[in-house]
Amino acid sequence: MCGIVGYVGNKHVVDVIVEGLRRLEYRGYDSAGLAVARNGKIEIRRASGKLRNLEEAIRLDPLDGSYGVGHTRWATHGRPTEENAHPHRDSSGKIVVVHNGIIENYLQLKRELQREDCQFVTETDTEAIAQLIGKFARSEPSLEAAVRKAVKQLKGIFAIAVISADEPDKIVAVRQGPPVVIGLGNDEYFVASDIPAVLYHTRDFIFLGDGEVAVLTREGVTVTDFDANPIAPMRQRITWDPIMAEKGGFKHFMLKEIYEQPRAVRETMQNRFSLETGCIYLDDMDISEEELRAFTSLKIAACGTSWHAALVGKYMLEELVRIPVEVDYASEFRYRNPILDEKTLVMVITQSGETADTLAALRQAKEAGCKVLAICNVNGSMVTREAHGTILTHAGPEIGVASTKAFTAQMTALYLFALYLAQVRNLLSAEKRYKYICDMIELPVKIESLLSHDDAIEDLAKEFFRSTDFLYLGRGINFPIALEGALKLKEISYIHAEGYPAGEMKHGPNALIDGQLPVVFVAPYEPGNPASQLRHEKTLSNITEVKARDGKVISVITEGDTETSELSDYVIEIPPTTDLLSPILSVVPLQLLAYHIAVRRGCDVDQPRNLAKSVTVE
């Protein structure tokens, strides 16, 4: 899942698709491919690795057509090989699909189709979509009818584009979660997963909604729902300069990096798990499994946003591994004479790998005879050279001073480490690890879904950018996200903001609440989880207290949480997930809120006053 480009029109289709895929490279990927059709035949070229490998495959074996689709893939189901690269065909070879997302019931669909003598040739969930559409195409009157019938059987989140050799100059596109945009030209039409892919060709777009199907032909575009009921799409004009779009179309590095979080989370997970075995694999390190089983405590040292990631990691590790975890500011760790011995594992977390206080904590731990594990974004930095082992976050360069994608990547790395440590200590069965892994691999698409609602966050910022104070409240694993939300706001907008445990309101913060104070509740919960349900009930009481004092309540909630929604003045919904993973979703709208407020206040969001990206002095 990553980038989709499709085209029907009079231009050279291969050039249009390859150019579009190149403009989506910022999203990250590990293989690429395209399919084009002509005269009742579909040809496919695919390659693992970077887009240049696909271009070389096309140079060695040219192809052409009048319509087609392309894709850059980040592997989830199946290794990043040429065989598993998109596009994928059905058994007849006449139907081709590209796909972003996760099909949760693909194994069930695959087994049912195999019982009908359908032959699968890849490890992907996408092939199940192609085979299912191919099955229905034999009896349905049109490609779009077969697609509609197929998508009703899919469980999960998906964006797909489909072509058929039997229906010339037609592309069928579907959205259920990940974004899909339709570009409108003169006798030519485009489908893509993001605007920059086709902005050089058109500035007029349709943004598909969830549960919608678009049919692109040379004559135009029609949109229906999954039941074939017609929908009147809204046409929008994009005013971006195409040169700006090469940087993702973003005004600031910070916003670009917020939007890069699906890729950062994907690449941090990449090649570190197996769905087949339910196992986690981490890079080689000078910490043996025997030592990992022997540690009796874990101490984490970090600064700023990385410290908030460490607090989230404490909840993850104590829940999954049942080992006591202590979190320190690195700047305090070295001065308080911490109790350290060979039975203590010390972890340091740093984006740059050069933070002075964090390096000092690492060295103190090593002097005390502790093994040190680092979570870091820069391979070859001082921390990675001095630690006994490193989990690299693979978030890519982070230019904005206010950390965003590094934070979500750090939390992802902590979740992986918690699962790995539980695996080494034989605390989780393979079946349970499989479930935890499946929850994790859904995150990138869910973050993409959150980002598609950025306009609503911008509208919320218009209501509150003149505020002088904010209070952020949360319980359990989302209390650190309240801290992070407050930090982001104060860093880039210069508004005073505090993060607090919601249960501590009566011990001070209640005195601040009046009709002018926005109070942000980080309040997602996991239905069916008794502990989460209890925290949710207590949070509802806290919201009631704030409302009784005329505070303005903004709540980050799980989709479908009507109780919290009814009590709040404003709500921001996040897709449902487990308690342990909710912080990775909860923080995204808070990053966007801080960004849009700062922009409205005229602040330099990439270079806030008095701050540096990497603090290399104490």
Side-chain angles (χ1 to χ4, degrees), residues 91 106 121 169 182 217 239 257 320 348 359 408 429 433-434 485 498 542 551:
S91 294
Y106 88 99
V121 295
D169 296 325
I182 307 297
T217 67
T239 59
E257 288 158 4
L320 295 175
V348 294
L359 273 168
T408 49
S429 66
R433 292 197 306 271
Y434 174 84
E498 283 192 61
N542 297 139

Side-chain angles (χ1 to χ4, degrees), residues 547-616:
K547 292 298 296 176
R549 291 160 178 79
D550 297 323
K552 300 297 183 185
V553 173
I554 305 165
S555 295
V556 179
I557 66 172
T558 302
E559 289 174 1
D561 179 4
T562 55
E563 286 183 292
T564 310
S565 179
E566 289 170 1
L567 286 174
S568 307
D569 297 293
Y570 305 87
V571 296
I572 303 169
E573 292 188 326
I574 67 169
T577 189
T578 64
D579 255 14
L580 293 181
L581 293 174
S582 61
I584 299 174
L585 299 181
S586 297
V587 75
V588 175
L590 299 185
Q591 294 167 343
L592 288 168
L593 181 63
Y595 169 81
H596 288 301
I597 286 175
V599 169
R600 288 217 152 248
R601 291 168 68 90
C603 301
D604 184 347
V605 297
D606 286 334
Q607 293 291 328
R609 66 191 183 200
N610 308 327
L611 298 177
K613 183 62 186 170
S614 179
V615 182
T616 54

Side-chain angles (χ1 to χ4, degrees), residues 426-499:
N426 297 313
L427 297 173
L428 292 175
S429 66
E431 291 77 16
K432 285 187 176 180
R433 292 197 306 271
Y434 174 84
K435 173 63 168 62
Y436 282 117
I437 292 169
C438 286
D439 292 334
M440 176 182 66
I441 63 178
E442 292 176 357
L443 286 172
V445 176
K446 290 182 177 181
I447 296 172
E448 288 179 343
S449 175
L450 278 171
L451 293 171
S452 70
H453 296 98
D454 186 18
D455 288 348
I457 307 297
E458 187 174 5
D459 289 341
L460 187 60
K462 295 174 185 176
E463 299 289 327
F464 292 103
F465 76 97
R466 292 187 180 89
S467 299
T468 57
D469 301 275
F470 267 74
L471 181 61
Y472 289 73
L473 300 171
R475 285 179 179 268
I477 197 169
N478 274 289
F479 159 54
I481 302 307
L483 295 173
E484 176 64 11
L487 176 63
K488 282 293 149 291
L489 188 68
K490 70 180 76 170
E491 278 183 310
I492 63 170
S493 75
Y494 317 142
I495 294 174
H496 170 253
E498 283 192 61

